[in-house]
Amino acid sequence: MRGLVVALGVSMAVVAGPAAASASVDTVPAPKLTWTGCDDGFQCATAEVPLDYDRPSGAKIDLALIKEPATDPAHKIGTLFVNFGGPGASGLQRLRERGKWPWLFSDELRARFDVVSWDPRGIGSSTAVRCFDTLAEQESFFGSFPEMPGDPSGNAAFYAKSKELADRCSAKAGPILEHVSTADTARDLELLRRAVGDAKLTYHGISYGTQLGATYANLFPNRIRAMAFDGTMDFAGNATGHDGSGTSVPLDTRQDVATGISQTFDQFLRLCTEAGPKCAFSSGDPKAKWASITARAKQAPITTDGETWTYSGIINAAADLSDSRGWPDIASLLQRLYDAPRTAAALKAGEPYTSNRTEAFNAIQCSDSDVPTDPAIYSRYAESEDQRVPYFGRIAVLDMMSCAFWPAKAADRYTGPWNRRTSAEILVLNNRFDPSTPLAGARDGAAELARARVFVTEGYGHSSMYVPSTCTEQVKRDYLISGTFPAAGKTCAIDASPFAG
């Protein structure tokens, strides 16, 4: 199939409201799920749902689901639906990889719930956004994608390739491209809740999964048993920007992701210094060494262990702070770069991608959010943000550059209201230093909801998925099982320092 393409400049429609959304989904029969074993104790199923909820009897798409059955079925509460974030991440893959991480899903939690995840529409094994005819074509395209530019000289090539991705998806993805909004996935989730037979939804959303959870909560406010948001977004900021800033300020810039990265990187340097020999970058003055590395890379790429690193590549590697368990590897890389001899070398091509996560990320995020469409706006913000937040300001400007050129728009995206009174109060979890969902944005998102409480983990990195805290898992578990909130003022520590060894 080929896409139904909408010209740039056509405004995105706003969902009519929770009552209309509920009524439209209530007329759709719940999909019938046939669970079959799919290795390692998991069960898999496929759900058929409407492509377009405005035409529920029309074309259908498939959703791929995975379940880890409750280990104590006699005391099972119901189903815990989990969205691991992205958007674009495969729920099937992540539940297989992470379903038994004890700091994410304890034995007690898995005893009381069937844990279910799925590849949302547009992603992975579900009906997916496909922008390439073959894997080889996809790998070639992303392998030649320019690095995010570290200065204005790289803007033109980066913008051109970003536009090429948008054009490819427009030409090849088909009708699914206009029906991958978070609101569409929230309606899918409502059908899946009915399909498993739960009277109300129990949900754990991580990162982007919190945007999905907030959308569901406001479309179906009376159908919630419990919702735990982990690494929480600013929902209005993500959709439209506050005070209508969305069309004039790049998405992650208006959510100040750059400050979140910078503050977390400062903690990386501090903890590395305190760790001494356990951190490979700790000798001398790590902050001064970092400045030396970046200044040198601006002059010429640095080669170490056969790999060549540009300024932009180093910045992006240093900003990859979501999983604090990987911080020792970042420290080792920085020390190797600092020690590298000053020799010239050819640039290394980027690594290829092998899933549709990048295409799906853009398809969903560009459908959901107001963004500037004039490349000159991005160029101006790249310079001003680079001055405001040294090293990391550009990332939050250019990380969704393809959205500037994205032609397909969702007919039924959701832009509010965000404060519908829900049948259960929502638990909002966030780390003190989160490079992807800064605590300030999580507080803003919680304040937009009608009934929510914020709980802070004194940790470093993105969400409790990447930052182990047995204490935080206990807080989440108590809430999801019995609806119990932690005492006012309580916080949790992480299980170990990133450089504990």
Side-chain angles (χ1 to χ4, degrees):
M1 293 189 299
R2 290 292 178 260
L4 304 173
V5 179
V6 181
L8 273 172
V10 177
S11 62
M12 289 183 277
V14 178
V15 159
S22 175
S24 65
V25 174
D26 286 348
T27 64
V28 180
K32 299 184 185 302
L33 301 179
T34 301
W35 296 100
T36 59
C38 51
D39 301 327
D40 301 322
F42 291 100
Q43 297 177 4
C44 294
T46 300
E48 187 179 80
V49 298
L51 169 68
D52 182 355
Y53 279 98
D54 292 332
R55 299 173 179 80
S57 60
K60 301 296 190 293
I61 60 173
D62 290 335
L63 303 179
L65 289 82
I66 188 169
K67 175 171 69 173
E68 184 178 17
T71 59
D72 185 3
H75 298 94
K76 186 178 80 170
I77 295 170
T79 298
L80 174 62
F81 285 96
V82 182
N83 181 283
F84 289 91
S90 167
L92 274 63
Q93 178 183 348
R94 289 200 164 178
L95 188 62
R96 285 184 178 279
E97 294 171 346
R98 305 169 189 190
K100 293 182 173 61
W101 286 0
W103 66 88
L104 190 57
F105 304 115
S106 62
D107 290 344
E108 292 85 350
L109 195 62
R110 292 187 297 111
R112 304 298 301 277
F113 292 98
D114 291 336
V115 180
V116 170
S117 190
W118 75 109
D119 284 359
R121 55 173 60 212
I123 297 171
S125 298
S126 296
T127 301
V129 172
R130 302 291 181 193
C131 305
F132 304 91
D133 291 328
T134 65
L135 177 61
E137 183 183 357
Q138 182 200 44
E139 289 178 341
S140 175
F141 178 85
F142 286 115
S144 64
F145 211 103
E147 289 181 331
M148 189 178 296
D151 61 62
S153 67
N155 286 358
F158 187 77
Y159 294 178
K161 202 70 171 180
S162 298
K163 183 179 186 303
E164 185 180 347
L165 175 61
D167 292 343
R168 282 174 174 265
C169 291
S170 174
K172 294 182 177 292
I176 186 66
L177 202 63
E178 294 177 355
H179 300 285
V180 289
S181 72
T182 299
D184 288 319
T185 294
R187 295 183 181 93
D188 293 341
L189 180 55
E190 169 63 5
L191 290 185
L192 296 180
R193 176 197 65 80
R194 289 167 47 201
V196 300
D198 283 4
K200 292 187 175 182
L201 179 73
T202 305
Y203 177 79
H204 182 203
I206 301 168
S207 191
Y208 161 78
T210 68
Q211 188 82 21
L212 172 58
T215 302
Y216 181 97
N218 285 280
L219 290 177
F220 309 102
N222 298 318
R223 300 182 184 176
I224 299 166
R225 178 189 167 274
M227 300 188 101
F229 293 175
D230 188 358
T232 303
M233 300 178 71
D234 170 2
F235 312 117
N238 183 69
T240 59
H242 298 286
D243 304 320
S245 63
T247 57
S248 58
V249 183
L251 177 53
D252 275 350
T253 302
R254 65 181 184 250
Q255 300 201 93
D256 204 11
V257 169
T259 295
I261 297 171
S262 180
Q263 290 177 344
T264 307
F265 187 72
D266 286 344
Q267 295 301 307
F268 165 85
L269 294 176
R270 179 183 69 81
L271 292 171
C272 178
T273 301
E274 293 176 356
K278 291 183 178 179
C279 176
F281 197 56
S282 64
S283 62
D285 182 348
K287 183 173 287 189
K289 290 162 65 178
W290 166 250
S292 174
I293 291 168
T294 54
R296 178 181 165 190
K298 280 188 172 182
Q299 300 300 314
I302 301 173
T303 298
T304 178
D305 295 338
E307 294 183 322
T308 299
W309 293 84
T310 63
Y311 173 81
S312 179
I314 293 168
I315 295 299
N316 281 280
D320 189 15
L321 299 165
S322 290
D323 190 342
S324 58
R325 295 167 301 161
W327 286 14
D329 293 334
I330 297 174
S332 295
L333 170 62
L334 295 182
Q335 186 62 42
R336 293 198 306 273
L337 291 168
Y338 184 74
D339 292 336
R342 293 181 177 270
T343 56
L347 297 183
K348 177 190 175 187
E351 294 296 324
Y353 291 75
T354 56
S355 74
N356 85 318
R357 184 173 179 182
T358 301
E359 300 97 302
F361 173 88
N362 282 280
I364 296 166
Q365 195 66 74
C366 300
S367 294
D368 268 358
S369 303
D370 288 339
V371 296
T373 58
D374 181 357
I377 293 176
Y378 293 84
S379 297
R380 290 196 297 270
Y381 269 103
E383 298 312 303
S384 62
E385 287 294 287
D386 202 26
Q387 293 294 316
R388 187 180 72 87
V389 186
Y391 308 118
F392 305 113
R394 290 177 181 273
I395 292 175
V397 177
L398 302 176
D399 59 351
M400 299 181 196
M401 195 65 214
S402 289
C403 288
F405 311 105
W406 207 261
K409 303 299 180 184
D412 290 319
R413 72 164 183 153
Y414 188 80
T415 61
W418 301 100
N419 61 349
R420 301 285 298 187
R421 183 169 179 80
T422 51
S423 53
E425 191 170 10
I426 296 169
L427 174 64
V428 172
L429 307 170
N430 220 82
N431 293 324
R432 176 75 64 186
F433 297 99
D434 189 315
S436 300
T437 53
L439 180 57
R443 292 192 189 280
D444 287 344
E448 292 158 13
L449 301 172
R451 302 178 65 198
R453 299 189 206 181
V454 177
F455 180 81
V456 176
T457 301
E458 300 295 346
Y460 321 90
H462 182 39
S463 82
S464 68
M465 179 165 66
Y466 294 120
V467 186
S469 171
T470 302
C471 173
T472 298
E473 198 283 334
Q474 177 79 58
V475 167
K476 179 181 69 181
R477 180 200 327 164
D478 289 347
Y479 165 76
L480 290 173
I481 290 176
S482 61
T484 304
F485 283 87
K490 175 182 171 65
T491 62
C492 278
I494 56 178
D495 289 347
S497 165
F499 299 105

